[in-house]
Amino acid sequence: MAAVAVVCSPPRSISAWVLAIVTISYVLTTWMGIGSNTLWGHVVPAMFSFMLGTQALKHDGGGVPQVSKRIGVASALVFLTVFLREFEHRDGKIPLTATFTHCTIYVLLGSLFLFMSIQDILGPAHPLAVKACLARTVSDPATFAFLGLLLRVHQHDVRPMPVAQHNLLAQIVVLVAVCSLVSALVHKFVAPSHRAAKATRLLLAYAYVLMGMWLSQMCLTLYLTKNRSVEPHVFVGLHDMYFKDLNPLAIEEVARMYLALSGWLSIVLVVALAAWQEDSEQRDDGEARIQSGPYAEVHPLDQVDDEPGQHSYTSHSLR
C-alpha cells in the first residue's frame, strides 16, 4: 500500500523521496522475509528523525513539525506492518514483555505521525485540526517522554555496548521531548519570525537530527551484518570489528565518544539545513513580491480633525 501511495502521489521533496524509498524497501523486504527488524528498526526511525528535523525548521508549523497526509498515512502503515510482524515472526527467545514493548513503541509512533499530519488531512481551518494543533503542545513532548522511558528500561540486546547506546538513545529522545515543549510554548507567546522562536526551532531541529544521527551510527557500529560464526547468529557492526577485546570499563567511554562524533556531525548538518531553509524562504518571498507586481502599496488618506466642520488629510509614506 505504501508503494502504491507513492506511485500515485509522488513526494514533493528530496527528504520525502528518501523516506519513501526507505519505507518501501523496508516493507517489501519484511514481507518477503529477507529483512530484519534489528537493522531496519533503526534505519527507518533514523530517516523519520532526519525528515522531522527539516520540517521543524519551517516557520509555519507553530513550533512543532507538520507532515503531509502522504507521510502521515504511509508512516502509520509502516508501523502497522511491524506491529503485525512482531507476533507473526516472534522469536521464542525474546521475552513476551519485549514484544509488547515493541508494539507499544509502534503504536506511539504511528499515532504521533497521524497527529502531525492531521492539519493536511482535515485542512488548517477545520475545528478538529485547530484543536489538535493546540493539543500537540502536550502530546508531542508526552509521546517522546514515554518513548524515552520505554527505551531506558527495555531489555533486548543485552551486550554491554548495545545497552550503553540504547541508554543514551533514551536520553536523546527525552531531549527531543523537552525541546518540543519549549518550542511549542515559545511559539504561543511570540511570532514565528521572532528571534526566540527561530532559536527554539533550530534547537528542536538539532534534537531531531541528533536522534537520527545516533540511530544511524547504531546501525553502523552494532547492526551492520550478522555474525554467522557463532550460535545463535547475532548482529555485529564496526564496533565489534575494531574493538573485539574492549575492556568492559571502557564501554561507557567509547559510547560517549560515538555520541560526541554524532553530535558534531549533527551540528554540521543542522547548520546546512538551516542555511538551505533560509535561502528557500527568501526565494519564496522574492517570487511572491514579483507575482504581486512592481507597484508599491499606497495606504488611503487618514482624516484628521482640526476644528468643527473642518478637516484636513495626511497620507502615509509608501511601503
Side-chain angles (χ1 to χ4, degrees):
M1 286 186 286
V4 173
V6 172
V7 171
C8 295
S9 186
R12 298 175 183 176
S13 64
I14 296 177
S15 61
W17 268 112
V18 173
L19 185 63
I21 293 172
V22 170
T23 51
I24 291 173
S25 302
Y26 171 59
V27 172
L28 293 178
T29 55
T30 298
W31 284 115
M32 293 171 62
I34 60 178
S36 170
N37 273 356
T38 305
L39 177 62
W40 286 107
H42 294 80
V43 172
V44 174
M47 295 300 103
F48 279 122
S49 300
F50 287 132
M51 185 267 296
L52 292 177
T54 61
Q55 296 297 318
L57 289 170
K58 297 183 177 181
H59 61 81
D60 56 352
V64 289
Q66 306 282 351
V67 300
S68 66
K69 56 186 175 183
R70 300 186 192 94
I71 294 179
V73 173
S75 303
L77 291 174
V78 169
F79 292 119
L80 176 62
T81 300
V82 294
F83 179 92
L84 297 175
R85 193 175 186 273
E86 280 290 331
F87 293 97
E88 182 181 356
H89 301 279
R90 198 177 81 82
D91 189 347
K93 299 176 183 177
I94 299 178
L96 185 61
T97 54
T99 299
F100 280 113
T101 300
H102 289 164
C103 293
T104 303
I105 292 173
Y106 302 146
V107 170
L108 289 174
L109 289 173
S111 60
L112 176 69
F113 274 91
L114 282 178
F115 225 45
M116 287 181 174
S117 62
I118 194 168
Q119 271 197 325
D120 194 35
I121 294 175
L122 299 178
H126 195 281
L128 184 59
V130 174
K131 293 180 181 178
C133 185
L134 180 62
R136 288 189 60 195
T137 306
V138 176
S139 64
D140 280 24
T143 301
F144 282 111
F146 294 146
L147 288 171
L149 292 174
L150 284 174
L151 291 171
R152 181 63 182 83
V153 300
H154 177 47
Q155 295 292 326
H156 188 178
D157 194 336
V158 296
R159 293 175 295 166
M161 180 54 73
V163 169
Q165 292 204 21
H166 279 89
N167 287 341
L168 290 174
L169 174 62
Q171 297 176 33
I172 293 173
V173 174
V174 173
L175 174 64
V176 174
V178 174
C179 293
S180 297
L181 180 61
V182 171
S183 180
L185 288 177
V186 168
H187 280 73
K188 297 300 180 184
F189 295 98
V190 300
S193 58
H194 195 276
R195 290 183 178 180
K198 291 181 178 179
T200 55
R201 290 200 302 271
L202 189 64
L203 185 62
L204 179 58
Y206 176 76
Y208 276 121
V209 171
L210 178 60
M211 182 167 61
M213 193 68 70
W214 186 247
L215 287 164
S216 300
Q217 76 80 29
M218 289 178 71
C219 296
L220 293 175
T221 58
L222 300 178
Y223 305 118
L224 193 59
T225 183
K226 274 188 176 181
N227 183 4
R228 303 186 181 278
S229 62
V230 296
E231 290 289 345
H233 301 327
V234 296
F235 275 85
V236 296
L238 297 178
H239 172 80
D240 303 277
M241 298 176 186
Y242 292 101
F243 297 101
K244 292 182 179 179
D245 301 320
L246 186 65
N247 188 332
L249 298 177
I251 293 294
E252 292 293 336
E253 179 182 357
V254 175
R256 279 160 176 75
M257 178 194 69
Y258 293 150
L259 178 60
L261 293 174
S262 300
W264 181 81
L265 291 174
S266 299
I267 292 174
V268 175
L269 183 55
V270 167
V271 169
L273 287 173
W276 173 80
Q277 180 67 30
E278 185 176 359
D279 291 341
S280 178
E281 291 178 358
Q282 289 178 354
R283 286 196 301 270
D284 293 342
D285 292 341
E287 292 176 358
R289 292 194 190 97
I290 293 174
Q291 291 177 358
S292 62
Y295 301 104
E297 180 183 357
V298 180
H299 287 260
L301 298 176
D302 285 343
Q303 178 176 314
V304 180
D305 291 332
D306 290 326
E307 297 179 0
Q310 297 181 2
H311 305 286
S312 63
Y313 296 85
T314 60
S315 66
H316 291 293
S317 59
L318 297 181
R319 292 184 181 179

